[in-house]
Amino acid sequence: SLNSLNHDMTLPEFKFIWYMEYSHRMWGRAVGLAYLLPAAYFWHRGCLSPPLKGRVLALCALVCFQGLLGWYMVKSGLEEKPDSYDIPRVSQYRLAAHLGSALVLYSASLWTGLSLLLPQHKLPETKQLLRLRQYAHGTTALIFLTALSGAFVAGLDAGLVYNSFPKMGERWIPDDLLAFSPVLRNIFENPTTVQFDHRILGIASITAVTALYFFSRKIPLPRRTRMAVTSLLAVACMQ
């Protein structure tokens, strides 16, 4: 099926795709070594406290799990599907899992690194600060969900269905939004619904980040925290 679908592909075009995949795998293995070797060294030298040992073990396990997920994802794109003439592609579910795992790994690594490099601010636990922290966690979850929905867009080529904004074609809500049965299938397998959800989540995310920024301006915060919130808003607008 690959041969019949891509019969006009030239050797340089194939090499470009092959080297992209090869580079991604080699980079992933280099990241794994950059985690595991220093972790083993510092563990052996007794540089890690008991709580940090647990965190390092969890991060190393997540690195290995991330590689396993990548293999599991690619495997789904190489499986022959009987009676299917669709373009071979990886499972959007496995793609979302691979991306989600990478985001968790990156966030946990950054959080661990910053907690070791920078002293934690001792701020009075006011109601406003507690609300800001809760709202920041909620915004984080929303951004994470938006990124995962982007993996479904990529996995289904859903970005090619409609290329107009803010409307989808001539309508605000497309006709085939709930074309699949049962209804729940549309959220994960209908390209129109997947693109629609990603748009809604994206708008909700930048709205939440903007609200977080303005809410943070009302609270006396350290300079480092203000810079972080301002940077978040700038990156969200750029995105």
Side-chain angles (χ1 to χ4, degrees), residues 61-78:
L62 196 53
V63 168
C64 298
F65 179 67
Q66 174 68 6
L68 186 65
L69 265 181
W71 166 81
Y72 186 58
M73 178 193 74
V74 170
K75 184 174 178 288
S76 68
L78 300 174

Side-chain angles (χ1 to χ4, degrees), residues 116-167:
L116 292 171
L117 290 170
L118 301 172
Q120 189 174 1
H121 288 298
K122 300 294 181 186
L123 300 174
E125 288 289 336
T126 62
K127 274 188 177 181
Q128 275 191 318
L129 187 65
L130 184 63
R131 280 179 59 203
L132 180 69
R133 188 179 290 123
Q134 289 171 341
Y135 193 80
H137 289 161
T139 304
T140 302
L142 183 60
I143 292 169
F144 181 74
L145 189 62
T146 305
L148 285 192
S149 76
F152 280 90
V153 172
L156 291 169
D157 285 339
L160 305 176
V161 182
Y162 292 97
N163 60 2
S164 55
F165 186 84
K167 288 185 178 181

